[in-house]
Every structure is written in C-alpha cells, then in structure tokens.
Amino acid sequence: MTDQYQALMDRCAGLPPLRTAVVHPVQPTVFEALTDAVRAGLIEPVLIGPAVRIAAALAEAGQPPDAHEIVDTEHSHAAAARAAQMAAAGQVGAIMKGSLHSDELMGAVIHPQCGLRTERRISHAFLMLTEDYPRPFIITDAAVNIAPDLSMKADIVQNAVGLWRVLWGPARPNVAILAAVETVNPKMQATLDAAALCKMADRGQITDAVLDGPLAFDNAISAAAAREKGILSPVAGQADILLVPDIESGNILAKQMIFLGGADAAGIVLGARVPVILTSRADSVRARLLSCALAVLMADARARGLVK
C-alpha cells in the first residue's frame, strides 16, 4: 500500500499547511508527531495549554520555546474549550489531541455552546492500508460511539461515505454492515440494524453509497467466502467501508490489523465543522502523518463546499 499512502500524501503537496489547534501538548512525545507533520508541510500548529508546561515539553524535545504559537490556558479542560472556540470562530481549521484523554477533548468538541456540532452524529473513522486487501478501506466507528443505535449508525455511515468520496470520489463506495452472521436474526440486534440501514439507503435516507448487510467479516472482504456461502451482493468481497456493530469489535479489528497485520492506519473524527485528529503515542510516524493528511484533505473539501 506504499503507492496508496504516497498518493494521499502527494495530494496535500499543493495545499497550504492546515492551521491546527494542538490541545494540551505538555509531553515531549507530542512534538515527535508535530515535527514530522510540520516538516511535511501538512500543519501549522497552534499550541494550546499551560504555557510554562508547553515550554518545558518543547525544551525536553529539543525545540526552542518559541518554535510555535502558544495560547496560554490554565489546564487541559480550558485548553480543549479554547481549541473548540477557536475552531468555531475560524481561527484554526483542525484540532489535534495532545496530552489529554480523548473523552476530555471530545467533550469540548461536542459541547452545544461551542458551535462545532453539525446535523450529524460525531464519529471516528480508521483508514486502513494493508497488503492483504487490494484497496484502502475504512473501519467505523472504533473510537467514539460505544454502542450506537440505528440512527447513530446511519450518521456514522454517512460520515464515512463523505470521507471516502473526498479521497476517491465521485464514485459511490461499497459499505458492508458487519455482524457475526450474514442472515437476519431477530435475537441479534446488529443484523436487524443492518437490514434497516439497507432499506434506509433504498429510501434515500443514506446517500451516495451502496450498502449491504448483515455480512460477516469474511464475506465482506472475500469474494470467495461470499461465493462459498451463496451470497449474491455487489458489496461482498469488495467493501470500501466496514461498519462495525460497536466500539469493542471495531477497536479490536483495527488494532489487530495494525499490530498483527502490519497495516498503515490513520484516524480522524468526522461530523464536526472541523476535522479532529486523535493521535496516539502508539501510532507510527506514517500513521500520524496520514492522519494529518486526512485532516488537510477534509478541511480543503469543506472549504470548497464538497462536504457539509
């Protein structure tokens, strides 16, 4: 997937660095990711948090205290709130997690008074690049929504479709709605939701994608497995987006592919008025850069009116 990775990075080359609020960057490890992203021309960081602690972290990382713009706040809660306010006011075009919990950051992003909410549910998408599958695909939601109901899943799908079409449109992606089995079972809520989502797509409640489900994981990604079970589907074996039933299954699936399968992965939060980059200390340099690249491309598409 090196070619796919490089193709996405190359698409950012003609775009200006994305002014990005980095929330509470008080650990030197944060600046490992920042340095690479700045060097690649992807972002222009605005560091938000306690100025004294940020300066100490910069020094420990071997960078001068004035390397980046700093917005002084008292603590991490205030930093998250300030970042959300700046994003809502158009002073930054993206938000990046620093040294604070994801829940704390997302709490500020979804706060009704901050002005970053849209008509859709906030959700997370992992873009996966692996040699074991012939094309890039998205896993959603593996990081934000714990046990989404039907209406939440509809928004999660639409958010992921928007990301996929920014990256590879205007074609319509194939969305596989995952469950443990490929038949509707009244005792398994994931299969009922899958059937309902497909009908919602038929009625235009979910747009710009081809949906099918329920599909077990093997049927979603293997045409041979689908044929063996007699499944006739335009999605089976050709999925571009995998909608998981809940956060546990999605998180396990994504991390298994990353840590056992050697996949490149990039994570981004969708559904807000600006992209949110949720980096992790366990992320590789390539993953961090690709996450920033997704934010750059999504912010550019929003500025051009291609996404809501």
Side-chain angles (χ1 to χ4, degrees), residues 35-162:
T35 300
D36 294 323
V38 171
R39 186 180 296 121
L42 294 171
I43 68 170
E44 175 191 336
V46 180
L47 312 181
I48 304 178
V52 172
R53 295 185 65 188
I54 291 174
L58 281 165
E60 192 172 345
Q63 298 189 29
D66 59 351
H68 308 292
E69 178 183 346
I70 297 176
V71 176
D72 188 23
T73 66
E74 185 177 359
H75 44 58
S76 58
H77 288 288
R82 181 64 177 140
Q85 292 166 3
M86 291 178 67
Q91 296 172 325
V92 296
I95 296 173
M96 177 186 286
K97 175 187 170 185
S99 310
L100 78 170
H101 290 296
S102 297
D103 288 350
E104 187 175 2
L105 175 60
M106 295 311 302
V109 170
I110 67 174
H111 196 284
Q113 294 181 349
C114 86
L116 288 182
R117 298 288 298 269
T118 66
E119 70 275 13
R120 291 207 198 115
R121 179 88 178 180
I122 300 287
S123 63
H124 182 274
F126 271 120
L127 173 64
M128 311 298 295
L129 306 176
T130 172
E131 298 291 348
D132 296 324
Y133 196 65
R135 56 180 159 298
F137 65 97
I138 292 169
I139 296 174
T140 190
D141 179 338
V144 172
N145 291 285
I146 296 173
D149 60 20
L150 178 62
S151 64
M152 294 177 189
K153 288 179 179 179
D155 280 351
I156 292 168
V157 169
Q158 201 69 71
N159 286 341
V161 168

Side-chain angles (χ1 to χ4, degrees), residues 133 218-231 233 235-238:
Y133 196 65
D218 56 344
N219 305 319
I221 57 92
S222 169
R227 284 194 301 270
E228 183 68 24
K229 292 191 174 182
I231 297 172
S233 165
V235 174
Q238 304 182 77

Side-chain angles (χ1 to χ4, degrees), residues 197-261:
L197 288 166
C198 291
K199 185 52 65 176
M200 290 173 74
D202 290 343
R203 296 291 186 264
Q205 294 173 268
I206 300 171
T207 61
D208 300 322
V210 179
L211 275 63
D212 196 15
L215 289 171
F217 179 72
D218 56 344
N219 305 319
I221 57 92
S222 169
R227 284 194 301 270
E228 183 68 24
K229 292 191 174 182
I231 297 172
L232 300 176
S233 165
V235 174
Q238 304 182 77
D240 300 303
I241 297 171
L242 302 178
L243 174 70
V244 298
D246 53 41
I247 197 171
E248 283 93 353
S249 58
N251 197 274
I252 291 168
L253 173 60
K255 289 184 177 177
Q256 176 184 357
M257 297 192 66
I258 295 166
F259 290 98
L260 292 180

